[in-house]
Amino acid sequence: MSKPVLEIVGVSKRFGPTLANDSISLSLAQGEIVALLGENGAGKTTLMSILFGHYMADEGRVLVDGQELPQGKPRAAIRAGIGMVHQHFALAPNLTVLENVITGTQSLWSPKLRSSEARAKLLAISERFGLKVDPDARLGDLSVGEQQRVEILKALYNEARILVFDEPTAVLTQAESERLFATLKDMAAQGLSLIFISHKLDEVLSAANRVVVLRGGRHVAERNTSETSKAELAELMVGRTVTRPVREPSTPGELVLEAAAVTIRSDGVDRLKAVDFRLHAGEVLGIIGVSGNGQHMLAQLLSGTRSKTAGDLLLYGKAVDNLSVTDVVSAGIGRIPEDRNKEGAIGEMAIWENAILERVKAFSRGGLVDRKAAIAFAQTIVDRFDVRGGAPTSRIRLLSGGNMQKLILGRNLIDRPRILLAAQPARGLDEGAVAAVLERILEAKRQGTAVLLISEDLDEVMALADRIQAIVGGKLSPAISAEEASARKLGLMMAGEWTTEVPHAV
Amino acid sequence: MSAAFDIIASAGLWAAVLRIATPLILGTLGALLCERAGVLNLGIEGIMTFGAMIGWLSVYNGADLWTGFLVAALAGGLFGLLHSLLTVTLGLSQHVSGLGVTLFASSFSYYVFRLAVPVAGTPPTITPFQPIAIPRLSDLPFVGPAFFAQTPPTYLAIALALVLAYVIFRTPLGLAIRMTGENPHAAEAQGINPMVVRYGAVIVGSALMGMAGAFLTLSAFNSFFPTMVQGRGWICIALVVFASWRPLRALLGGLLFAFFDGFQLRLQTVLGGAVPYQLFLMIPYILSIVALALMARRARVPQALMQPYRRGER
């Protein structure tokens, strides 16, 4: 192996009582792609923040081309050729692409912005790496994928030779992710060195040359991707063997929810087009499809936040015209919203406050909130659903995604809902949390809850759902049973090709 | 109607418009600079009052007019430093801190004034800036007396609008300021220290506010009294929105408001007997609200305005 361009030697970082990084060492060679794999909270982002000068390490050194990098100075890191592509883009939506890229690249006291040279340089880089952008577009008008391209260009514009990508695919669609990986390989082939942070095993295996696994702030293993497997990495990452739960066949009970030709029109467009589905007690109905095909409308309809335009909705055999949120809660419909940070929890409020949001009435006494009972209730959820990382009185924002999701699940399942609406329940969670969340869903089903699972993850739907329907362009396919389902068949259904294979609607 | 036409056609109105506009332009530029960096500065009303007082007091005690003007700017900068300490370093609510600065600076102005100048039946006066006619241009008919016979601070205010527009949109420093107001984390990721940028913008912006106040006592009028700013600072805050955070539009907005104000003053003298004068006083404010409603809907607010920046936190 050639001389390393980057060496991290024995870096430790402590936040209060927690040791986020415990003497981590890592090296990176020119033209190499190293994946930093670990669960949320394993210390990946902390390590990279130290590298980039956002944090000061308590111990250890960072060497670039054998030269020690001064700590806590982003500008020094930039000068040394380190570029960072943040998960939450460090971009300004009201500025143009060019302005975003060149901010801070010219002396602040120079009397004139040299825009035309900058534009030429930007276009040359974008040409060289196949990252097409319009320099004069307002950044806020671009898609997420394009914004990420700008973020990459920004690093390249600063002549970065070492690029760090923090969970780059978290915000991308499948197609955008594949395109990104092609770009990464191209960049490595042109001599750049890359580190990318991820907790997704598939992408680590397909994109990286080498994998460094972090767990609990420690460097636990290092493997060449050619010599390892998904199973081994999963085990290294979690520290034990993790198996995702799988459904067992069951006999569904009575019909609890039925939709017949339900249409939702919004802004003059039919977002849901005459969809039919039936949901029974004790079964999981999976709705599979690529995001943005009407799932959001469907979830909103059943959450009581959007009303239907046409069609019939039957809840427990009775026609309901329009559900309000209160109706939904009192009808025993539990909900796991797609975006837990925006719709599922209020970050600045305490865990106990979040726990009782839907049932404030039950916890009020004489017009005041019964804090004691509410905190006790939250403690029950925390214990029963294994929520780690906070007491009932700590702010929910401080929980990791997986633990926040467990709390939301617990809040819904503790009352044994008759129906559970789970929209993308495992999205963005690490392997251990995924297994826990899915197991809870199956457990609810065994206890007779009817589960409507909306997901774009093929494996997840195949593992959990008893019957599966695909959603494409606002239309729902007829249901197929789990036994009939195969990855190929579901793939076709997700592409909208069901009419030829299944001639009759249910 | 012909009365209105006569007023608009008089050079005197236009000369007055520029005079009335000057403190508005300076104040709006100051508030705009602060907001471009992401800091709302509601201290403006008090800083203007203090600038008016300290500028006047300096001249009253023998300093020349420009020194008085400079002292007002420096005092404004000091209040800017205070506001920065509270909002940037401590990350307190910008609204509360700004109102606090206004209350403090206003009362402090009166206190200092009373200590320095004993109560008198007629307030003491100074000799203010005199109009300077620009050679040749001031000889032009109508346009000359209307626009080219102003006091020096008025010319300065117009020049500063041009300078600020250039700095904000055409220099690396201006880009750094805008980035800080849009996304301080992004600025930091590009090696710019958002804290330093915010301090600088708030201090310089507040200095402009101090100058805006000094214009009132050193040019528009010749003595100080505590209520003389009369809400001009708040008008400036509204004008920033009207201007969509652009200096040249701030210039335009200041002139527009001043036009309504000068117009109603003259309308009072023409129609004064028939209608209560308070009605005329309302005209500029009503028209400003209308103009604001029309303009501000498309405005692009700096995204990080009023958000404290803390390192390493998202």
Side-chain angles (χ1 to χ4, degrees):
Chain A
M1 199 161 75
S2 58
K3 205 167 140 293
V5 288
L6 174 74
E7 282 171 284
I8 293 175
V9 188
V11 165
S12 295
K13 174 75 184 171
R14 194 176 275 286
F15 290 109
T18 38
L19 197 55
N21 283 170
D22 184 0
S23 189
I24 297 178
S25 297
L26 169 74
S27 78
L28 180 69
Q30 197 190 353
E32 192 183 25
I33 306 182
V34 167
L36 205 51
L37 180 73
E39 294 199 294
N40 294 327
K44 300 166 297 193
T45 303
T46 305
L47 184 64
M48 291 302 112
S49 296
I50 289 169
L51 171 62
F52 201 65
H54 286 316
Y55 294 148
M56 305 270 283
D58 297 332
E59 277 165 51
R61 299 181 301 155
V62 175
L63 305 172
V64 177
D65 293 328
Q67 298 271 323
E68 183 159 353
L69 196 66
Q71 288 205 15
K73 294 207 172 73
R75 197 184 279 251
I78 293 172
R79 271 208 213 100
I82 299 173
M84 180 112 177
V85 176
H86 296 82
Q87 182 182 3
H88 306 278
F89 305 139
L91 297 168
N94 276 337
L95 303 187
T96 66
V97 169
L98 184 65
E99 286 173 336
N100 267 287
V101 170
I102 66 175
T103 299
T105 58
Q106 301 175 16
S107 160
L108 288 188
W109 305 113
S110 112
K112 191 166 182 347
L113 206 53
R114 292 183 303 277
S115 328
S116 48
E117 298 162 42
R119 177 190 309 266
K121 182 173 168 187
L122 175 66
L123 288 173
I125 297 168
S126 107
E127 179 78 17
R128 183 174 151 207
F129 292 98
L131 295 159
K132 232 181 109 219
V133 285
D134 169 9
D136 299 312
R138 190 179 148 270
L139 190 101
D141 294 336
L142 303 183
S143 72
V144 174
E146 287 171 311
Q147 293 191 14
Q148 188 178 57
R149 233 175 281 162
V150 177
E151 184 84 343
I152 298 171
L153 283 169
K154 208 167 75 172
L156 294 173
Y157 187 94
N158 284 325
E159 331 245 300
R161 294 166 298 125
I162 300 163
L163 280 111
V164 180
F165 293 80
D166 189 0
E167 309 227 355
T169 59
V171 291
L172 300 184
T173 63
Q174 190 62 35
E176 282 172 329
S177 302
E178 273 157 28
R179 205 168 147 181
L180 172 69
F181 288 129
T183 308
L184 294 192
K185 284 184 179 155
D186 187 32
M187 285 162 70
Q190 295 199 39
L192 300 178
S193 315
L194 315 176
I195 295 182
F196 85 94
I197 301 177
S198 179
H199 61 242
K200 295 183 189 158
L201 301 169
D202 289 319
E203 64 185 44
V204 164
L205 283 172
S206 69
N209 308 114
R210 197 150 57 86
V211 190
V212 170
V213 185
L214 296 189
R215 189 173 73 229
R218 293 230 296 277
H219 175 301
V220 291
E222 202 168 321
R223 297 281 185 276
N224 287 322
T225 44
S226 50
E227 296 156 10
T228 184
S229 68
K230 215 169 137 176
E232 186 193 19
L233 287 179
E235 196 174 333
L236 286 169
M237 180 165 83
V238 187
R240 59 195 148 86
T241 325
V242 178
T243 40
R244 291 194 178 193
V246 181
R247 65 180 272 275
E248 55 266 30
S250 58
T251 15
E254 55 179 319
L255 183 65
V256 291
L257 180 67
E258 181 175 7
V262 168
T263 296
I264 293 180
R265 203 175 170 76
S266 151
D267 302 328
V269 183
D270 284 347
R271 309 275 172 182
L272 272 192
K273 298 172 186 157
V275 300
D276 298 309
F277 64 86
R278 301 161 136 247
L279 183 64
H280 300 86
E283 75 163 348
V284 177
L285 173 62
I287 305 285
I288 186 136
V290 179
S291 265
N293 273 294
Q295 289 97 327
H296 193 56
M297 289 287 146
L298 184 61
Q300 284 192 324
L301 172 74
L302 301 177
S303 309
T305 48
R306 189 175 286 276
S307 41
K308 61 185 165 62
T309 316
D312 296 311
L313 197 60
L314 279 83
L315 186 60
Y316 312 131
K318 265 187 262 163
V320 283
D321 223 20
N322 281 315
L323 286 165
S324 74
V325 178
T326 347
D327 295 341
V328 166
V329 174
S330 58
I333 302 182
R335 291 151 301 156
I336 301 169
E338 185 178 340
D339 187 336
R340 60 183 157 270
N341 292 307
K342 276 192 191 143
E343 296 171 44
I346 303 171
E348 294 302 321
M349 283 169 63
I351 290 178
W352 72 265
E353 288 171 305
N354 276 286
I356 63 160
L357 274 180
E358 291 177 346
R359 38 174 81 85
V360 179
K361 265 199 192 136
F363 288 94
S364 26
R365 227 176 25 190
L368 299 174
V369 175
D370 186 350
R371 285 177 69 110
K372 233 181 182 171
I375 291 172
F377 175 72
Q379 188 63 52
T380 320
I381 297 181
V382 166
D383 294 342
R384 288 224 339 236
F385 291 83
D386 190 27
V387 180
R388 289 180 218 175
T393 47
S394 30
R395 277 182 298 169
I396 201 166
R397 189 165 74 90
L398 301 173
L399 295 183
S400 70
N403 282 304
M404 195 189 286
Q405 192 73 318
K406 283 189 217 162
L407 186 92
I408 294 171
L409 252 172
R411 170 174 88 187
N412 283 296
L413 294 182
I414 200 155
D415 278 356
R416 294 264 186 96
R418 295 184 67 185
I419 299 175
L420 178 68
L421 168 67
Q424 321 283 3
R427 181 186 276 177
L429 303 186
D430 53 51
E431 211 46 45
V434 169
V437 165
L438 301 187
E439 178 50 40
R440 291 295 183 175
I441 292 175
L442 284 179
E443 188 186 299
K445 168 195 145 175
R446 281 196 295 273
Q447 293 175 347
T449 299
V451 180
L452 186 74
L453 171 72
I454 298 177
S455 175
E456 53 181 346
D457 184 333
L458 219 80
D459 295 335
E460 181 178 305
V461 171
M462 285 172 59
L464 295 189
D466 301 302
R467 288 184 305 125
I468 302 167
Q469 290 181 275
I471 186 162
V472 182
K475 287 186 190 155
L476 266 187
S477 75
I480 61 166
S481 70
E483 287 71 28
E484 291 173 72
S486 65
R488 200 189 79 86
K489 183 154 182 175
L490 289 179
L492 283 172
M493 281 166 67
M494 284 164 76
E497 300 192 14
W498 63 71
T499 39
T500 48
E501 301 208 359
V502 190
H504 298 295
V506 175
Chain B
M1 266 302 98
S2 76
F5 182 78
D6 287 345
I7 293 170
I8 293 173
S10 77
L13 168 74
W14 292 100
V17 165
L18 257 74
R19 191 173 65 240
I20 298 168
T22 304
L24 298 176
I25 295 167
L26 286 170
T28 308
L29 292 176
L32 184 149
L33 182 59
C34 299
E35 290 186 30
R36 273 288 184 182
V39 181
L40 177 70
N41 190 349
L42 294 183
I44 183 169
E45 184 81 8
I47 296 173
M48 282 177 73
T49 308
F50 197 85
M53 189 280 298
I54 202 75
W56 180 87
L57 196 61
S58 307
V59 176
Y60 183 66
N61 283 322
D64 69 52
L65 287 162
W66 282 113
T67 309
F69 212 66
L70 190 69
V71 168
L74 289 174
L78 280 178
F79 281 108
L81 181 65
L82 173 66
H83 189 54
S84 308
L85 271 170
L86 295 171
T87 59
V88 180
T89 304
L90 299 178
L92 303 181
S93 153
Q94 298 183 1
H95 284 108
V96 175
S97 164
L99 292 174
V101 169
T102 280
L103 291 172
F104 169 62
S106 303
S107 3
F108 192 51
S109 310
Y110 193 45
Y111 179 67
V112 172
F113 181 66
R114 269 292 153 255
L115 281 186
V117 183
V119 182
T122 46
T125 57
I126 52 140
T127 312
F129 280 107
Q130 298 304 310
I132 291 185
I134 294 186
R136 301 256 175 83
L137 289 173
S138 64
D139 296 335
L140 295 170
F142 187 78
V143 180
F147 300 114
F148 298 107
Q150 298 289 339
T151 61
T154 299
Y155 300 126
L156 178 68
I158 294 168
L160 281 175
L162 299 172
V163 169
L164 200 60
Y166 180 84
V167 169
I168 286 183
F169 293 111
R170 296 272 183 273
T171 67
L173 179 65
L175 186 54
I177 294 171
R178 282 187 285 149
M179 182 61 94
T180 303
E182 293 287 340
N183 185 348
H185 300 283
E188 165 118 63
Q190 291 282 79
I192 293 165
N193 186 332
M195 301 276 205
V196 172
V197 172
R198 285 190 164 179
Y199 261 87
V202 174
I203 289 171
V204 174
S206 303
L208 288 171
M209 295 170 186
M211 287 161 68
F215 179 84
L216 297 173
T217 47
L218 300 184
S219 179
F221 204 54
N222 58 8
S223 64
F224 172 80
F225 50 96
T227 57
M228 72 188 311
V229 177
Q230 277 190 323
R232 283 185 180 84
W234 309 136
I235 300 285
C236 293
I237 295 292
L239 282 174
V240 174
V241 182
F242 174 83
S244 307
W245 293 268
R246 290 166 179 273
L248 294 183
R249 285 202 207 159
L251 179 63
L252 183 78
L255 290 171
L256 191 70
F257 185 87
F259 168 77
F260 294 144
D261 205 23
F263 184 71
Q264 67 86 12
L265 276 172
R266 279 162 179 71
L267 211 57
Q268 276 184 43
T269 55
V270 180
L271 302 175
V275 195
Y277 76 95
Q278 287 89 344
L279 217 57
F280 296 106
L281 280 178
M282 291 173 8
I283 294 176
Y285 298 94
I286 293 173
L287 290 177
S288 306
I289 290 172
V290 172
L292 189 61
L294 292 176
M295 293 288 288
R297 280 191 309 177
R298 278 174 300 139
R300 296 227 157 98
V301 190
Q303 294 294 298
L305 183 61
M306 294 185 277
Q307 285 172 16
Y309 173 72
R310 293 191 189 95
R311 255 192 120 181
E313 202 177 89
R314 291 205 161 264

